[in-house]
Amino acid sequence: MKAILQRVLSASVTVDKQVISSIDKGVLVFAAVASGDTQKEAEQLAAKVLKMKLWDGEDGQRWKHNVQDIKGEVLCVSQFTLLASTKKGSKPDFHGAMGGDQAKELYDHFFSHVQKGYEPDKIKNGVFQAMMEVGLVNDGPVTLEISTSSKS
């Protein structure tokens, strides 16, 4: 699995002109499920999301606190396009992404483990396979790519 983490002051997901989810200070997570990914990898990625130190400490030390330490929120958004291959030509190739129902099942497993690892009401979700408008105010900006295996 692969994810992009963005430290945000706020973020939201809108589908069909309706706000589905929104958060204040916390982490926006774009997550992708690759072919061959496992439940174990989904659980590892969920743990990384919650433990990644993205905020400074009160003493000014850099990269000291994670989202739980600051009592922040998490907004997860499925995004298979993170797995695009652009090696040939100008059209992205998405063959590295897991397909439909399998991907949804594994993404849901990832999301449920983010919830289990923190306070469930602080974890929000987009809509799998929907055309979403994602709004955010990046804080920093701080944007990191994380993955659970060398293949993603």
Side-chain angles (χ1 to χ4, degrees):
M1 287 189 74
K2 179 186 277 189
I4 300 295
L5 304 184
Q6 294 189 305
R7 186 177 76 186
V8 297
L9 297 175
S10 63
S12 64
V13 171
T14 301
V15 177
D16 295 329
K17 299 183 181 178
Q18 296 240 13
V19 175
I20 302 300
S21 297
S22 64
I23 63 168
D24 290 318
K25 186 175 183 177
V27 180
L28 172 61
V29 180
F30 292 106
V33 181
S35 295
D37 281 344
T38 65
Q39 287 189 344
K40 181 179 179 183
E41 288 169 316
E43 293 162 15
Q44 289 171 344
L45 190 69
K48 279 187 176 189
V49 164
L50 295 173
K51 295 192 182 330
M52 191 62 60
K53 296 181 181 198
L54 302 175
W55 285 269
D56 296 345
E58 298 77 25
D59 58 3
Q61 280 193 314
R62 303 292 304 214
W63 314 113
K64 195 164 183 180
H65 294 298
N66 62 40
V67 71
Q68 294 168 303
D69 296 334
I70 65 142
K71 300 187 180 355
E73 297 177 287
V74 179
L75 175 55
C76 297
V77 177
S78 62
Q79 188 173 2
F80 77 95
T81 59
L82 290 177
L83 298 169
S85 173
T86 56
K87 292 179 182 174
K88 294 187 340 184
S90 58
K91 182 179 177 185
D93 174 347
F94 300 106
H95 287 97
M98 186 179 282
D101 292 340
Q102 266 188 311
K104 180 172 178 9
E105 185 178 312
L106 206 50
Y107 174 82
D108 288 345
H109 187 75
F110 158 77
F111 181 77
S112 73
H113 272 75
V114 176
Q115 284 185 309
K116 286 178 188 174
Y118 192 26
E119 299 172 36
D121 62 318
K122 290 188 181 256
I123 311 300
K124 307 292 172 59
N125 205 358
V127 179
F128 192 85
Q129 288 187 327
M131 183 61 81
M132 295 176 270
E133 295 174 16
V134 180
L136 67 128
V137 177
N138 199 311
D139 181 18
V142 172
T143 303
L144 302 176
E145 178 180 325
I146 61 173
S147 64
T148 57
S149 70
S150 58
K151 67 181 178 274
S152 55

